[in-house]
Amino acid sequence: MSYDLLISRITERLKALGMSERKACLTADVGLNSIRHIRVRGHAPKPETLAKLANVLEVPASYFLEAAAEGHEKSKDPIEPNKNHFAAVEKVYVKGFVQAGTWQDALEWPMTDWMSIYIPPDPRYMNVARFGLEVRGDSMNKVYPEGSIVIAVRLDDLGRLPRNGERVVVLSRCTNGNSAMEATIKKYQIDTQGRHILWPESTDPLYQTPIILDDRAKSLGIDGHDADHGASCDIEIYAVVIGSYRPE
């Protein structure tokens, strides 16, 4: 397996702290060759090992765990469920939330607040980074009840535009001098007139007005008119929703 991102992050921290691999392993109370085995042999690291190393190298555990999960996803090796390493599920980090009418400074929480969930591998996106978002409120409750976790992929990582009928993560920044943004989920459609429309799917009358993007939206992520707010907003279609998870 290839853990290039993980090794680069570990190396970065070692250099920043002026610490050798051996000293880091010794201080973390893990095997003295733990880092070398990842770097040279491509061994799958145990999560507890990475958490200990992260503590010694003064970063959140998620900084190493996320990189390890990405390295595992990019591997072409078959997953053997009886092997004592990552199981036949994949870790995805829930990095933020979406909620209509709620303004926030950034889509992602600080890394220390990320939550991990485990989901089945998705063969459609084996080499693409995925992330989770918590759904709050009722603006998409026909599809995603409050508390659902949606799994998404950034459009930049996919290298394509959204497709008709896909549900997408939409970021809105209104031109009122406020730098805050709203993150929501909408269904992307192109109607018979060629208009790009973002539809809520809600039982709540407050969240049933679509966002109709203007002609410039053919390049997407440009200007639109959000009738829910009655203001001119910059609309960015940020990611495509590829799945969802509902905790019991």
Side-chain angles (χ1 to χ4, degrees):
M1 298 183 186
S2 175
Y3 291 100
D4 292 344
L5 177 59
L6 174 60
I7 287 300
S8 70
R9 289 185 176 183
I10 292 175
T11 301
E12 165 204 343
R13 295 306 304 154
L14 290 171
K15 289 182 177 179
L17 297 174
M19 190 180 297
S20 68
E21 290 184 4
R22 183 179 178 84
K23 182 177 180 181
C25 291
L26 185 63
T27 307
D29 193 24
V30 298
L32 290 180
N33 292 315
S34 294
I35 297 175
R36 181 177 182 276
H37 287 166
I38 302 169
R39 176 170 50 81
V40 177
R41 301 182 182 180
H43 284 187
K46 294 181 179 180
E48 55 267 30
T49 297
L50 293 181
K52 290 179 178 180
L53 287 170
N55 184 54
V56 168
L57 296 178
E58 301 178 7
V59 291
S62 57
Y63 187 61
F64 289 163
L65 291 169
E66 181 189 44
E70 180 174 320
H72 178 67
E73 288 177 6
K74 290 182 177 180
S75 170
K76 299 299 184 181
D77 295 340
I79 298 174
E80 300 178 26
N82 292 327
K83 272 196 170 182
N84 186 25
H85 60 209
F86 290 92
V89 293
E90 296 174 356
K91 180 182 288 186
V92 170
Y93 287 95
V94 180
K95 298 182 176 183
F97 73 93
V98 291
Q99 183 175 12
T102 298
W103 297 86
Q104 50 185 312
D105 293 330
L107 177 63
E108 292 189 6
W109 297 320
M111 289 181 62
T112 51
D113 294 337
W114 291 1
M115 302 180 296
S116 60
I117 61 172
Y118 292 86
I119 61 175
D122 190 331
R124 299 174 301 169
Y125 304 100
M126 294 301 291
N127 296 316
V128 182
R130 291 169 290 164
F131 62 95
L133 294 170
E134 177 189 350
V135 177
R136 299 179 183 177
D138 296 328
S139 66
M140 286 293 287
N141 64 359
K142 287 184 178 180
V143 185
Y144 309 121
E146 184 168 24
S148 299
I149 302 296
V150 297
I151 309 301
V153 175
R154 294 175 66 245
L155 281 174
D156 286 349
D157 292 335
L158 283 178
R160 66 167 175 84
L161 300 179
R163 294 168 180 161
N164 196 24
E166 286 185 324
R167 294 182 177 91
V168 294
V169 179
V170 178
L171 307 182
S172 302
R173 296 179 178 84
C174 288
T175 55
N176 55 5
N178 191 334
S179 61
M181 69 175 194
E182 178 196 50
T184 60
I185 297 175
K186 298 287 190 292
K187 186 173 183 178
Y188 172 73
Q189 287 190 329
I190 303 174
D191 68 7
T192 55
Q193 302 176 47
R195 296 182 302 174
H196 300 255
I197 303 178
L198 301 172
W199 287 97
E201 295 176 281
S202 175
T203 60
D204 189 332
L206 291 175
Y207 303 115
Q208 293 179 355
T209 304
I211 299 174
I212 301 176
L213 303 177
D214 63 23
D215 290 340
R216 286 172 290 177
K218 290 180 180 179
S219 60
L220 299 177
I222 309 186
D223 292 334
H225 182 75
D226 185 345
D228 282 341
H229 303 117
S232 178
C233 293
D234 292 331
I235 306 295
E236 177 186 358
I237 301 178
Y238 177 75
V240 172
V241 176
I242 62 171
S244 63
Y245 166 74
R246 174 67 175 168
E248 291 293 335

